[in-house]
Amino acid sequence: MAQVLEFKLPDLGEGLTEAEIVRWLVEVGDVVAVDQPVVEVETAKAMVEVPCPYGGVVTARFGAEGTELPVGAPLLTVAAGETADARPSGGAGGADTARTGGAGDGGSGREPAAEGSGNVLVGYGTSQAPARRRRVRSAAPAVNGRPRTPEPVRDTTGPADGPVPVISPLVRRLARQNGLDLRELTGSGPDGLILRADVEHALALRPTTDRDRADTATGPTAQATAAPAASPGRAASVTRVPLKGIRGAVADKLSRSRTEIPDATCWVDADATELMRTRAAMNAAGGPKISVLALLARICTAALARFPELNASVDTGAREIVRYTDVHLGFAAQTERGLVVPVVRDAHTRDAESLTAEFARLTEAARAGTLTPAELTGGTFTLNNYGVFGVDGSTPIINHPEAAMLGVGRIVPKPWVHEGELAVRQVVQLSLTFDHRVCDGGTAGGFLRYVADCVEQPAVLLRTL
C-alpha cells in the first residue's frame, strides 16, 4: 500500500529562511525518481533546482510559481510505490488517474521509493525515507466539482469541531483573505486534504459581487502594489517594489552592517603605471591572460599576510575578535538579478593565473544565476572594483560579518609628479573601509599604504613570493 510522503522546503544554504518558486518541473500525477529535481526556486543568493529525496507519484504541489515559501513549508507530497497508472514526469496525460493513485495493474509499478537519497538536503540526509501516516486510497466521486481521494467517514451535517485538514499555510492565508471558512470544504487531496485548488474552486462558485469585493479588499497582489489614493490637485504616480529575493537579502545585510559595524574609511591615490606595464609584459609572454583584478587580489592577500587584523570578524555575542588564517576573498559582481559577492576560496594560495581563472568562472556563474550557496558564503575579506562603473572613489559598506573591504576606482591618465617632473600617469584611487573594533587607524593606514606601494612598484611583492 502506498505511503504519502511530504517533502518540505529544505535549508538550501547558510542563513536562508525562504525561497521563491520560479518554475515547477513536475505536475501532479507525474512519476518522480529519488533525487530528481522537482522545482526551481530563487533564494536570496542563487537559483537552485531542488531534488526530491523520495520516489513515487506526485499527489500535490503547494504554492504557485512566484510564491515565497519559508524553509520547512511543504513543497509537495509523493505517494511512494503508487506508480502503475501514473504518467512519466513531464508527460501530458494521465493526470486525473495519477491523482487518485491509479487503479491499473499494481504489479508493474516501481518499488516503493524508501531508498536513500544521494543528495544531502538539510533535514533529509541519505537514509531511508521515514514512514508517513497517510495512505493513498482508490478513486471516489468528485467533490467541489473536482476529483478527490476519499477520506475517512465523517459527519457532514455541519462544520466539524476538530482540526481542519490543511497543511499549506498558503492555503490558509488564501481562505482567510477571502473570508472563506475551510471547515465548509471537503478536500480533494489524500485523506481529504484541502488543496489550494479546492479553495480557488470554492471562491469561483461565489457570487461575482462577493468575489470581486474580496479580491479588491484583500487580494495579495492588490496589497503588494496598492498606492495611496491621489489627493485633489495632486497627481499620484507610485510604484511599490517588494524587497525580496536578492534585493531583499542585500537590503537586510547592508542595514545590519550599518547598524552593527562602526566603520571608518581611508583612501589614497596611487600611480598604477608600473602595474599596468607589468601586466602587459605578463600577457605578452604567452599563456592565459592575467586580469587586473587578479593582480589586485594577489596584492590584497599579501597585504593581509602583513596585517592579519583585517582578515577577521567580530563575535558580538562572545565579545571576541575572530581572526582567520585562510583568506577567502569575496568580490562584488553586478548582475541582472542584483549585486552578489562570490567567494574565491583559499585566495592566499593562488597565483595570478589561478585567480584570473577563478574570477572568470565565478563571474560567469553569477551572470547565469547558477552560483551555489557555498560559492556565495564564507568570505573573510572583500575586494570591490567599482572602477568598472567609471567612478574614481567610493566609501563602500562592509560585507557583514567581515571586518574590511578594499575599494578600487577606475585607472585613468592624470597629471602626476613622477621623478620630480610633471607627467601623465595611470592613476587609481584606493579606499579601505574597516571595522574600527578590530584595529586602529594605524593598522588600516599601514595596510592601505602597502597596497598602494605594491601598485606603484609591483617588484615590492617579490620580497614575499
Side-chain angles (χ1 to χ4, degrees):
M1 184 173 292
Q3 297 175 332
V4 176
L5 306 176
E6 181 181 271
F7 176 40
K8 299 180 179 180
L9 178 64
D11 182 355
L12 298 171
E14 178 182 322
L16 299 178
T17 60
E18 61 187 11
E20 178 180 338
I21 297 175
V22 176
R23 180 168 60 99
W24 282 103
L25 306 178
V26 296
E27 300 287 344
V28 172
D30 285 352
V31 177
V32 296
V34 174
D35 288 343
Q36 176 181 333
V38 293
V39 64
E40 185 179 70
V41 301
E42 180 180 16
T43 70
K45 300 180 181 297
M47 298 275 278
V48 180
E49 287 189 351
V50 182
C52 181
Y54 312 130
V57 179
V58 178
T59 57
R61 303 186 317 190
F62 303 103
E65 294 178 356
T67 302
E68 279 193 344
L69 293 179
V71 170
L75 266 179
L76 51 77
T77 54
V78 175
E82 195 74 16
T83 64
D85 292 327
R87 69 177 185 270
S89 175
D96 293 339
T97 303
R99 286 191 187 98
T100 57
D105 180 14
S108 62
R110 293 173 39 191
E111 295 182 1
E115 59 189 280
S117 166
N119 286 337
V120 179
L121 295 174
V122 177
Y124 293 91
T126 58
S127 60
Q128 287 190 340
R132 295 288 295 178
R133 58 251 180 223
R134 297 196 190 95
R135 297 179 299 171
V136 174
R137 296 177 173 83
S138 59
V143 293
N144 294 335
R146 304 179 65 251
R148 56 153 293 186
T149 310
E151 60 187 70
V153 177
R154 67 175 71 176
D155 181 10
T156 58
T157 58
D161 293 331
V164 179
V166 178
I167 292 178
S168 172
L170 299 175
V171 173
R172 293 183 181 275
R173 184 177 65 180
L174 180 62
R176 183 173 61 252
Q177 289 175 337
N178 290 277
L180 183 64
D181 187 355
L182 289 171
R183 297 180 186 276
E184 298 176 354
L185 301 183
T186 304
S188 62
D191 287 343
L193 182 68
I194 297 176
L195 308 178
R196 179 178 182 137
D198 298 325
V199 175
E200 292 174 341
H201 182 74
L203 293 175
L205 296 178
R206 278 184 170 185
T208 305
T209 54
D210 293 344
R211 187 168 68 252
D212 291 345
R213 187 183 308 116
D215 291 344
T216 303
T218 61
T221 302
Q223 287 182 343
T225 60
S231 59
R234 181 177 66 87
S237 178
V238 177
T239 300
R240 292 180 178 267
V241 180
L243 278 175
K244 64 179 183 178
I246 287 185
R247 187 72 264 161
V250 170
D252 293 341
K253 198 162 192 176
L254 296 182
S255 298
R256 185 176 182 183
S257 178
R258 276 292 192 222
T259 301
E260 293 186 8
I261 299 178
D263 58 352
T265 302
C266 54
W267 56 88
V268 64
D269 289 340
D271 180 0
T273 305
E274 293 303 321
L275 180 68
M276 301 305 289
R277 288 176 179 171
T278 300
R279 174 176 176 261
M282 288 180 176
N283 291 337
K289 301 296 184 182
I290 304 300
S291 68
V292 175
L293 187 63
L295 295 178
L296 292 170
R298 188 65 190 88
I299 293 172
C300 193
T301 57
L304 288 173
R306 294 172 65 95
F307 300 92
E309 297 92 336
L310 293 167
N311 192 44
S313 63
V314 175
D315 186 337
T316 54
R319 293 186 62 82
E320 294 176 342
I321 296 174
V322 183
R323 292 180 181 171
Y324 303 104
T325 303
D326 300 331
V327 179
H328 301 315
L329 187 66
F331 66 99
Q334 191 70 38
T335 71
E336 292 182 356
R337 299 172 59 240
L339 178 68
V340 295
V341 184
V343 177
V344 177
R345 303 285 172 183
D346 300 315
H348 60 294
T349 65
R350 298 175 181 266
D351 57 21
E353 283 189 5
S354 175
L355 287 168
T356 297
E358 187 67 356
F359 281 134
R361 183 187 72 83
L362 291 173
T363 299
E364 181 61 28
R367 290 171 178 167
T370 58
L371 287 171
T372 65
E375 292 170 330
L376 287 163
T377 55
T380 62
F381 188 94
T382 295
L383 177 61
N384 188 355
N385 181 21
Y386 44 75
V388 296
F389 301 119
V391 297
D392 295 325
S394 174
T395 55
I397 299 175
I398 295 174
N399 186 27
H400 185 279
E402 298 169 13
M405 176 185 292
L406 178 66
V408 182
R410 60 176 180 164
I411 302 175
V412 293
K414 288 185 179 180
W416 189 267
V417 176
H418 176 65
E419 296 180 352
E421 295 183 357
L422 188 62
V424 176
R425 307 284 287 181
Q426 300 291 320
V427 179
V428 62
Q429 184 179 101
L430 306 170
S431 65
L432 177 70
T433 299
F434 64 99
D435 186 340
H436 226 314
R437 296 173 297 179
V438 303
C439 69
D440 296 325
T443 300
F447 174 93
L448 189 58
R449 186 63 258 171
Y450 178 79
V451 170
D453 289 344
C454 290
V455 168
E456 294 184 339
Q457 302 178 48
V460 172
L461 277 176
L462 295 176
R463 295 179 61 90
T464 57
L465 293 180

